[in-house]
Amino acid sequence: MTRSSSRRRRRAGVGAALLAASVGLALAALPSSAGAAPTQPTDPGVGLGKQDREIVAQAREDGKRTVELQLIADRGTLDDLTRAGATIRYRADDLGYVRVEVPVGKAEAVAELPGVDGANVDRTIKLDDPRPEGISDPSPQPAPGANTPRVNPYMPTGDTGAAQFVDQNPKFDGRGVTVGIVDSGVDLGHPSLNTTSTGERKIVDWVTATDPRFANGRNLDNDPTWIDMSSPTPGQPANVRFGIFNERDPRLAGELGNDVNRDGNPAGSIGTFGVRWDKSTGEVRVDTNQNKDFADDQPMTDYKVKQDIGRFGTDNPATAVSESMPFVVQTSPATDSVNIGIVSGEHGSHVAGIVAGNKLFGGKMSGAAPGAKLVSVRACLFVGGCTSHALDEGMIYAVQEAGVDVVNMSIGGLDLVNEGNTAREQLYNRLIEQNDVQIFISAGNDGTGVNTTSQP
């Protein structure tokens, strides 16, 4: 049985619960184009739109020497990019997608190369405040709890009919389906995101999609959870590397508050944690107790291998909040870096709960598909927003590497013109067509009005 036919069979019984969770979205059947030969370029490339040209102009004014472009192009053009002055940072040839770094002065010329069908300047998409303006506060409601029914005023699943559907069809609750959440990361410590309705592990993969590369000792995406591991551990073989994770890095502000071990950063305390990586075995140890000794720290590897979870801080069960923070590790041998996988905000867990939360508050209240498993892809930074390339390359990972059946991405931006033909939208269309996957995307918080649906 092919992977696609297997997915179709699994979806036959569970798709309705997932589809009902997305208001106003309908996916039509699309003809498959997998394996289609790329067309030979005959016309000039699509070029950059007004908004992208403005970003390039601002980069030039700010004294930046390069910008990064995300392109959709045929294979021949992908191979020609280096001759045009581009440095390839990421490529997925089967999708015709490439991210390149180019001199500011060559950005427009590269986007106009024959065979370029989509071109966008990589950017950071800010997370908007979703609170609507100009309305009165909602009527007070009692706090949800263990006695809150499945249909309730706190979740949209009652409005969409998903909750009622699962009540009537208990086994059609998403079991057998894996959903990718491309967002700010899903909390590994949340009790309703630990197991499915059938008792299986809910989060089966957890990765960070920001760029792992370093230049002059600084991560190129300004993501402080990527640790430069190019230095050897003192007194150890060359393959055993050492780095430092600093919880008080200002780039870890925002909702995280520069305090991963939740100790309040008392006077005299330190905010750094040593990281040891044995490249020969893939084993990572993080000095979570800050005693400068790795012997008593848990050996870990990439989450998808053994679902290893570490913790910063120690929880006090007598308090109403958790004083510890779960984390995973992710190794990047090609860039000599290791990631400390922590959520950059609550939004990803909020989305995951609506999609697949199981027994919220320990009662009947659940997401649309409590039986579904999750793949968490963190594409957002802790301050500033989410990078376009992390959203797109994180989507590629979820679909092609993790093999999810459905993806949710509740992040977007309002472009000047939303004609549905950006590099991102073409990439997502190809992911859908070639992998038999369904992608659900938010419409944004702008409007109402013409052209106020966010892209993608």
Side-chain angles (χ1 to χ4, degrees), residues 13-95:
V14 298
L18 291 167
L19 291 172
S22 299
V23 182
L25 289 176
L27 293 181
L30 295 172
S32 175
S33 63
T39 57
Q40 294 299 316
T42 56
D43 299 321
V46 67
L48 296 177
K50 181 176 184 293
Q51 193 167 22
D52 288 302
R53 293 196 302 272
E54 290 175 349
I55 295 174
V56 172
Q58 186 64 53
R60 184 183 295 109
E61 183 177 329
D62 293 340
K64 294 182 179 180
R65 301 175 62 184
T66 64
V67 294
E68 290 197 352
L69 303 180
Q70 295 175 271
L71 307 175
I72 292 292
D74 62 77
R75 177 59 185 268
T77 301
L78 294 182
D79 293 337
D80 288 341
L81 285 169
T82 53
R83 288 192 287 272
T87 301
I88 294 177
R89 296 305 186 191
Y90 181 103
R91 65 188 293 170
D93 287 13
D94 58 326
L95 296 165

Coordinates of all heavy atoms in Angstrom, one line a residue, residues 13-95:
G13 N -12.4 7.8 8.4 CA -13.2 7.8 9.6 C -13.0 9.0 10.5 O -13.8 9.2 11.4
V14 N -11.9 9.7 10.3 CA -11.6 10.8 11.3 C -11.6 12.2 10.7 O -11.5 13.1 11.5 CB -10.2 10.5 12.0 CG1 -10.3 9.2 12.7 CG2 -9.1 10.5 10.9
G15 N -11.6 12.3 9.4 CA -11.4 13.6 8.8 C -12.5 14.6 9.2 O -12.2 15.8 9.4
A16 N -13.7 14.1 9.5 CA -14.8 15.1 9.8 C -14.5 15.8 11.0 O -14.8 17.0 11.1 CB -16.1 14.3 9.9
A17 N -14.0 15.1 12.1 CA -13.7 15.8 13.3 C -12.7 16.9 13.2 O -12.8 18.0 13.8 CB -13.2 14.8 14.4
L18 N -11.7 16.7 12.3 CA -10.7 17.7 12.1 C -11.2 18.8 11.2 O -10.9 20.0 11.5 CB -9.4 17.1 11.4 CG -8.7 16.1 12.3 CD1 -7.7 15.3 11.5 CD2 -7.9 16.9 13.4
L19 N -11.9 18.5 10.2 CA -12.4 19.5 9.3 C -13.4 20.5 10.0 O -13.4 21.7 9.8 CB -13.1 18.9 8.1 CG -12.2 18.1 7.1 CD1 -13.0 17.4 6.1 CD2 -11.3 19.1 6.4
A20 N -14.2 19.9 10.9 CA -15.2 20.7 11.6 C -14.5 21.8 12.5 O -15.2 22.7 12.9 CB -16.1 19.8 12.4
A21 N -13.3 21.6 12.9 CA -12.6 22.5 13.8 C -12.2 23.8 13.1 O -11.8 24.7 13.7 CB -11.4 21.8 14.4
S22 N -12.2 23.9 11.8 CA -11.7 25.0 11.0 C -12.9 25.8 10.4 O -13.5 25.3 9.5 CB -10.7 24.6 10.0 OG -9.6 24.0 10.6
V23 N -13.2 26.9 11.0 CA -14.4 27.7 10.5 C -14.1 28.3 9.2 O -13.1 29.0 9.0 CB -14.8 28.8 11.5 CG1 -16.0 29.5 11.1 CG2 -15.0 28.1 12.9
G24 N -15.0 28.2 8.2 CA -14.9 28.9 6.9 C -13.9 28.3 6.0 O -13.6 29.0 5.0
L25 N -13.3 27.2 6.3 CA -12.3 26.6 5.4 C -12.8 25.4 4.7 O -13.4 24.5 5.3 CB -11.0 26.2 6.2 CG -10.2 27.4 6.7 CD1 -9.0 26.9 7.5 CD2 -9.7 28.3 5.5
A26 N -12.6 25.2 3.4 CA -13.0 24.0 2.7 C -11.9 23.7 1.7 O -11.4 24.6 1.0 CB -14.3 24.2 2.0
L27 N -11.4 22.5 1.7 CA -10.4 22.1 0.8 C -11.0 21.3 -0.4 O -11.7 20.3 -0.1 CB -9.4 21.2 1.5 CG -8.5 21.9 2.6 CD1 -7.6 20.9 3.2 CD2 -7.8 23.0 2.0
A28 N -10.7 21.7 -1.6 CA -11.2 21.0 -2.7 C -10.2 20.0 -3.1 O -9.0 20.1 -2.8 CB -11.4 21.9 -3.9
A29 N -10.6 18.9 -3.8 CA -9.6 17.9 -4.3 C -8.8 18.5 -5.4 O -9.2 19.2 -6.3 CB -10.4 16.7 -4.8
L30 N -7.4 18.3 -5.2 CA -6.5 18.9 -6.2 C -5.8 17.9 -7.0 O -5.4 16.8 -6.4 CB -5.4 19.7 -5.4 CG -6.0 21.0 -4.6 CD1 -4.9 21.5 -3.8 CD2 -6.5 22.0 -5.6
P31 N -5.6 18.0 -8.3 CA -4.9 17.0 -9.1 C -3.5 16.9 -8.6 O -2.8 17.9 -8.4 CB -5.0 17.6 -10.5 CG -5.2 19.0 -10.3 CD -6.0 19.2 -9.1
S32 N -3.0 15.7 -8.6 CA -1.6 15.5 -8.2 C -0.6 15.9 -9.3 O -0.9 15.6 -10.4 CB -1.4 14.0 -7.8 OG 0.0 13.8 -7.5
S33 N 0.5 16.5 -8.9 CA 1.5 16.9 -9.8 C 2.8 16.3 -9.4 O 3.9 16.8 -9.9 CB 1.6 18.4 -9.9 OG 2.0 19.0 -8.7
A34 N 2.8 15.3 -8.5 CA 4.1 14.7 -8.1 C 4.8 14.1 -9.2 O 4.3 13.4 -10.1 CB 3.8 13.6 -7.0
G35 N 6.1 14.4 -9.3 CA 6.9 13.9 -10.3 C 6.8 14.6 -11.7 O 7.5 14.2 -12.6
A36 N 6.1 15.7 -11.7 CA 6.0 16.5 -13.0 C 7.3 17.1 -13.3 O 8.0 17.7 -12.4 CB 4.9 17.5 -12.9
A37 N 7.7 17.1 -14.6 CA 8.9 17.6 -15.0 C 8.9 19.1 -15.0 O 7.8 19.7 -15.4 CB 9.3 17.1 -16.4
P38 N 9.9 19.8 -14.5 CA 9.9 21.3 -14.5 C 9.9 21.8 -15.9 O 10.5 21.3 -16.8 CB 11.2 21.7 -13.8 CG 12.1 20.5 -14.0 CD 11.2 19.3 -14.0
T39 N 9.1 22.9 -16.1 CA 9.0 23.5 -17.4 C 10.3 24.4 -17.7 O 10.9 24.9 -16.7 CB 7.8 24.5 -17.5 OG1 7.9 25.4 -16.5 CG2 6.5 23.7 -17.3
Q40 N 10.7 24.5 -18.9 CA 11.9 25.3 -19.2 C 11.5 26.7 -19.2 O 10.5 27.2 -19.8 CB 12.4 24.9 -20.6 CG 12.9 23.4 -20.7 CD 14.1 23.2 -19.8 OE1 15.0 24.1 -19.7 NE2 14.1 22.1 -19.0
P41 N 12.4 27.6 -18.6 CA 12.0 29.0 -18.5 C 12.2 29.7 -19.8 O 13.1 29.5 -20.6 CB 13.1 29.5 -17.5 CG 14.2 28.5 -17.6 CD 13.6 27.2 -17.9
T42 N 11.2 30.5 -20.1 CA 11.2 31.2 -21.4 C 11.0 32.7 -21.1 O 11.5 33.6 -21.9 CB 10.1 30.8 -22.3 OG1 8.8 30.8 -21.7 CG2 10.4 29.3 -22.8
D43 N 10.3 33.1 -20.0 CA 10.0 34.4 -19.7 C 10.8 34.9 -18.5 O 11.3 34.1 -17.8 CB 8.5 34.6 -19.4 CG 7.6 34.2 -20.6 OD1 8.0 34.5 -21.7 OD2 6.6 33.6 -20.4
P44 N 10.9 36.2 -18.4 CA 11.7 36.7 -17.2 C 11.0 36.3 -15.9 O 9.8 36.0 -15.9 CB 11.6 38.3 -17.4 CG 11.3 38.5 -18.9 CD 10.5 37.3 -19.3
G45 N 11.7 36.3 -14.9 CA 11.2 35.9 -13.6 C 10.2 36.9 -13.1 O 10.0 38.0 -13.6
V46 N 9.4 36.5 -12.0 CA 8.3 37.3 -11.5 C 8.8 38.6 -10.9 O 8.0 39.6 -10.9 CB 7.5 36.4 -10.5 CG1 8.3 36.2 -9.3 CG2 6.2 37.1 -10.2
G47 N 10.0 38.7 -10.4 CA 10.5 39.9 -9.8 C 10.0 40.1 -8.4 O 9.3 39.2 -7.9
L48 N 10.3 41.2 -7.8 CA 9.9 41.5 -6.5 C 8.7 42.5 -6.5 O 8.7 43.4 -7.3 CB 11.0 42.2 -5.6 CG 12.3 41.3 -5.4 CD1 13.3 42.1 -4.6 CD2 11.9 40.0 -4.6
G49 N 7.8 42.3 -5.6 CA 6.7 43.2 -5.5 C 7.1 44.5 -4.7 O 8.2 44.6 -4.2
K50 N 6.1 45.4 -4.7 CA 6.4 46.7 -4.1 C 6.9 46.6 -2.6 O 7.9 47.2 -2.2 CB 5.2 47.6 -4.2 CG 5.4 49.0 -3.6 CD 4.1 49.9 -3.8 CE 4.3 51.3 -3.3 NZ 4.5 51.4 -1.8
Q51 N 6.2 45.8 -1.9 CA 6.6 45.7 -0.4 C 8.0 45.1 -0.3 O 8.8 45.5 0.6 CB 5.5 44.8 0.3 CG 5.6 44.8 1.8 CD 4.4 44.2 2.4 OE1 3.7 43.4 1.8 NE2 4.1 44.6 3.7
D52 N 8.3 44.1 -1.1 CA 9.6 43.5 -1.0 C 10.7 44.5 -1.5 O 11.8 44.5 -0.9 CB 9.7 42.2 -1.9 CG 8.9 41.1 -1.2 OD1 9.2 40.7 -0.1 OD2 8.0 40.5 -1.9
R53 N 10.4 45.3 -2.5 CA 11.4 46.3 -3.0 C 11.6 47.3 -1.9 O 12.8 47.8 -1.7 CB 10.9 46.9 -4.2 CG 10.8 46.0 -5.5 CD 10.7 46.8 -6.7 NE 9.6 47.7 -6.8 CZ 8.4 47.4 -7.2 NH1 8.2 46.1 -7.6 NH2 7.4 48.2 -7.2
E54 N 10.6 47.6 -1.1 CA 10.8 48.5 0.0 C 11.7 47.9 1.1 O 12.5 48.6 1.7 CB 9.4 48.9 0.6 CG 8.6 49.8 -0.3 CD 7.2 50.1 0.2 OE1 6.8 49.4 1.2 OE2 6.5 50.9 -0.4
I55 N 11.5 46.6 1.4 CA 12.4 46.0 2.3 C 13.8 46.0 1.9 O 14.7 46.2 2.7 CB 11.9 44.5 2.6 CG1 10.5 44.5 3.2 CG2 12.9 43.8 3.5 CD1 9.9 43.1 3.3
V56 N 14.1 45.8 0.6 CA 15.4 45.8 0.1 C 16.0 47.2 0.2 O 17.1 47.4 0.6 CB 15.5 45.3 -1.4 CG1 16.8 45.6 -2.0 CG2 15.1 43.8 -1.5
A57 N 15.2 48.2 -0.1 CA 15.6 49.6 0.0 C 16.0 50.0 1.4 O 17.0 50.7 1.7 CB 14.5 50.5 -0.6
Q58 N 15.2 49.5 2.4 CA 15.4 49.8 3.8 C 16.7 49.1 4.2 O 17.5 49.6 5.0 CB 14.3 49.3 4.6 CG 14.4 49.7 6.1 CD 14.4 51.2 6.3 OE1 13.5 51.9 5.8 NE2 15.4 51.7 7.0
A59 N 16.9 47.8 3.7 CA 18.2 47.1 4.1 C 19.4 47.9 3.5 O 20.4 48.0 4.2 CB 18.1 45.7 3.5
R60 N 19.3 48.4 2.3 CA 20.4 49.2 1.8 C 20.6 50.5 2.6 O 21.8 50.8 2.9 CB 20.0 49.6 0.3 CG 21.2 50.3 -0.4 CD 20.8 50.7 -1.8 NE 20.5 49.6 -2.7 CZ 19.3 49.2 -3.1 NH1 18.3 49.9 -2.7 NH2 19.2 48.1 -3.9
E61 N 19.5 51.1 3.0 CA 19.6 52.3 3.8 C 20.3 52.0 5.2 O 21.0 52.9 5.7 CB 18.3 53.0 4.0 CG 18.3 54.3 4.7 CD 16.9 54.9 4.8 OE1 16.1 54.7 3.9 OE2 16.6 55.6 5.8
D62 N 20.0 50.8 5.7 CA 20.5 50.5 7.0 C 21.9 50.0 7.0 O 22.5 49.6 8.0 CB 19.6 49.4 7.7 CG 18.2 49.9 8.0 OD1 18.1 51.1 8.1 OD2 17.3 49.0 8.2
G63 N 22.5 50.0 5.8 CA 23.9 49.5 5.6 C 24.1 48.0 5.5 O 25.2 47.6 5.6
K64 N 23.0 47.3 5.4 CA 23.2 45.8 5.3 C 23.7 45.5 3.9 O 23.4 46.1 2.9 CB 21.8 45.2 5.5 CG 21.2 45.3 6.9 CD 19.9 44.6 7.0 CE 19.4 44.7 8.4 NZ 18.1 44.0 8.6
R65 N 24.6 44.5 3.9 CA 25.3 44.1 2.6 C 24.5 43.0 1.9 O 24.6 42.9 0.7 CB 26.7 43.6 2.9 CG 27.5 44.6 3.6 CD 28.9 44.1 4.0 NE 29.6 43.6 2.9 CZ 30.8 43.0 3.0 NH1 31.4 42.8 4.1 NH2 31.5 42.6 1.9
T66 N 23.7 42.3 2.6 CA 22.9 41.2 2.0 C 21.5 41.1 2.5 O 21.2 41.7 3.5 CB 23.6 39.8 2.2 OG1 23.6 39.5 3.6 CG2 25.0 39.8 1.7
V67 N 20.6 40.4 1.7 CA 19.3 40.1 2.1 C 19.1 38.6 1.7 O 19.8 38.1 0.9 CB 18.2 41.0 1.5 CG1 18.3 42.4 2.0 CG2 18.3 40.9 0.0
E68 N 18.1 38.0 2.3 CA 17.7 36.6 1.9 C 16.4 36.6 1.1 O 15.5 37.3 1.5 CB 17.7 35.7 3.1 CG 19.0 35.4 3.7 CD 19.0 34.2 4.7 OE1 18.0 33.7 5.0 OE2 20.1 33.8 5.1
L69 N 16.4 35.9 0.1 CA 15.2 35.7 -0.8 C 14.7 34.3 -0.7 O 15.5 33.3 -0.6 CB 15.5 36.0 -2.2 CG 16.1 37.4 -2.6 CD1 16.3 37.5 -4.1 CD2 15.2 38.5 -2.1
Q70 N 13.4 34.1 -0.7 CA 12.8 32.8 -0.8 C 12.2 32.7 -2.2 O 11.4 33.6 -2.6 CB 11.7 32.7 0.2 CG 12.2 32.6 1.7 CD 11.1 32.6 2.7 OE1 10.6 33.7 3.1 NE2 10.7 31.4 3.1
L71 N 12.6 31.7 -3.0 CA 12.2 31.6 -4.4 C 11.5 30.3 -4.7 O 11.8 29.3 -4.1 CB 13.5 31.7 -5.2 CG 14.4 32.9 -5.0 CD1 15.6 32.8 -5.9 CD2 13.7 34.2 -5.3
I72 N 10.6 30.4 -5.6 CA 10.0 29.2 -6.3 C 10.6 29.2 -7.7 O 10.3 30.2 -8.4 CB 8.5 29.2 -6.3 CG1 8.0 29.0 -4.8 CG2 8.0 28.1 -7.2 CD1 8.3 27.6 -4.2
A73 N 11.3 28.2 -8.1 CA 11.9 28.3 -9.4 C 12.1 26.8 -10.0 O 12.0 25.9 -9.2 CB 13.3 29.0 -9.4
D74 N 12.4 26.7 -11.3 CA 12.6 25.4 -11.9 C 14.0 25.0 -11.5 O 14.9 25.8 -11.1 CB 12.4 25.5 -13.4 CG 13.3 26.4 -14.1 OD1 14.5 26.1 -14.2 OD2 12.9 27.5 -14.4
R75 N 14.3 23.7 -11.7 CA 15.6 23.1 -11.3 C 16.7 23.8 -12.0 O 17.8 24.0 -11.4 CB 15.6 21.6 -11.7 CG 16.9 20.9 -11.4 CD 17.2 21.0 -9.9 NE 18.5 20.4 -9.6 CZ 18.7 19.1 -9.2 NH1 17.7 18.3 -9.1 NH2 19.9 18.7 -9.0
G76 N 16.6 24.1 -13.3 CA 17.7 24.8 -14.0 C 18.1 26.1 -13.4 O 19.3 26.4 -13.2
T77 N 17.1 26.8 -13.0 CA 17.3 28.1 -12.3 C 18.0 28.0 -11.0 O 18.9 28.7 -10.6 CB 16.0 28.9 -12.2 OG1 15.5 29.1 -13.5 CG2 16.3 30.3 -11.6
L78 N 17.5 26.9 -10.2 CA 18.1 26.7 -8.9 C 19.6 26.5 -9.1 O 20.4 26.9 -8.3 CB 17.5 25.4 -8.3 CG 16.0 25.5 -7.9 CD1 15.6 24.3 -7.2 CD2 15.8 26.7 -7.0
D79 N 20.0 25.7 -10.1 CA 21.4 25.5 -10.3 C 22.2 26.7 -10.8 O 23.4 26.8 -10.6 CB 21.6 24.3 -11.4 CG 21.1 23.0 -10.9 OD1 21.0 22.8 -9.6 OD2 20.7 22.1 -11.7
D80 N 21.5 27.7 -11.4 CA 22.2 28.8 -11.9 C 22.3 30.0 -10.9 O 23.0 31.0 -11.1 CB 21.4 29.4 -13.1 CG 21.6 28.5 -14.3 OD1 22.5 27.7 -14.4 OD2 20.7 28.6 -15.3
L81 N 21.7 29.8 -9.7 CA 21.6 30.9 -8.8 C 23.0 31.3 -8.3 O 23.3 32.5 -8.1 CB 20.8 30.6 -7.6 CG 19.2 30.6 -7.9 CD1 18.5 29.9 -6.7 CD2 18.8 32.0 -8.1
T82 N 23.9 30.4 -8.1 CA 25.2 30.7 -7.6 C 26.0 31.6 -8.6 O 26.8 32.5 -8.2 CB 26.0 29.5 -7.2 OG1 26.0 28.6 -8.4 CG2 25.4 28.7 -6.1
R83 N 25.8 31.3 -9.9 CA 26.4 32.1 -10.9 C 25.9 33.6 -10.9 O 26.5 34.5 -11.4 CB 26.3 31.5 -12.3 CG 27.1 30.2 -12.4 CD 27.2 29.8 -13.9 NE 26.0 29.2 -14.3 CZ 25.7 27.9 -14.1 NH1 26.5 27.1 -13.6 NH2 24.5 27.4 -14.6
A84 N 24.7 33.7 -10.4 CA 24.1 35.1 -10.3 C 24.5 35.8 -9.0 O 23.9 36.9 -8.8 CB 22.6 34.9 -10.4
G85 N 25.4 35.2 -8.2 CA 25.8 35.9 -7.0 C 25.1 35.5 -5.8 O 25.3 36.1 -4.7
A86 N 24.3 34.4 -5.8 CA 23.5 34.0 -4.7 C 24.3 32.9 -3.9 O 24.9 32.0 -4.5 CB 22.1 33.5 -5.1
T87 N 24.1 32.9 -2.6 CA 24.6 31.8 -1.7 C 23.4 31.0 -1.2 O 22.5 31.6 -0.6 CB 25.4 32.3 -0.6 OG1 26.5 33.1 -1.0 CG2 25.9 31.2 0.3
I88 N 23.3 29.7 -1.6 CA 22.2 28.9 -1.2 C 22.2 28.5 0.3 O 23.2 28.0 0.7 CB 22.1 27.6 -2.1 CG1 21.8 28.1 -3.5 CG2 21.0 26.7 -1.6 CD1 21.8 26.9 -4.5
R89 N 21.2 28.8 1.0 CA 21.1 28.5 2.4 C 20.2 27.3 2.7 O 20.4 26.6 3.7 CB 20.6 29.7 3.2 CG 21.5 30.9 3.1 CD 22.9 30.6 3.6 NE 23.7 31.8 3.7 CZ 25.1 31.7 3.9 NH1 25.6 30.5 4.0 NH2 25.8 32.8 4.0
Y90 N 19.2 27.1 1.8 CA 18.3 25.9 2.0 C 17.7 25.7 0.6 O 17.4 26.6 -0.1 CB 17.2 26.3 3.0 CG 16.2 25.2 3.3 CD1 16.3 24.4 4.4 CD2 15.2 24.9 2.4 CE1 15.4 23.4 4.7 CE2 14.3 23.9 2.6 CZ 14.4 23.1 3.8 OH 13.5 22.2 4.1
R91 N 17.5 24.4 0.3 CA 16.9 24.1 -1.0 C 16.1 22.8 -0.8 O 16.5 21.9 -0.1 CB 17.9 24.0 -2.1 CG 18.9 22.9 -2.1 CD 19.9 23.1 -3.2 NE 19.4 22.9 -4.5 CZ 20.0 23.1 -5.6 NH1 21.3 23.6 -5.6 NH2 19.5 22.9 -6.8
A92 N 15.0 22.7 -1.5 CA 14.1 21.5 -1.6 C 13.8 21.4 -3.1 O 12.8 21.9 -3.5 CB 12.9 21.7 -0.7
D93 N 14.6 20.7 -3.8 CA 14.5 20.6 -5.3 C 13.2 20.0 -5.7 O 12.6 20.5 -6.8 CB 15.6 19.8 -5.9 CG 17.0 20.6 -5.8 OD1 17.0 21.6 -5.1 OD2 17.9 20.2 -6.5
D94 N 12.6 19.1 -5.0 CA 11.4 18.4 -5.4 C 10.2 19.4 -5.4 O 9.2 19.2 -6.0 CB 11.1 17.2 -4.6 CG 11.0 17.5 -3.1 OD1 11.8 18.3 -2.7 OD2 10.2 16.8 -2.4
L95 N 10.4 20.5 -4.6 CA 9.3 21.5 -4.4 C 9.6 22.7 -5.2 O 8.8 23.7 -5.3 CB 9.1 21.8 -3.0 CG 8.6 20.7 -2.1 CD1 8.8 21.0 -0.6 CD2 7.1 20.4 -2.4

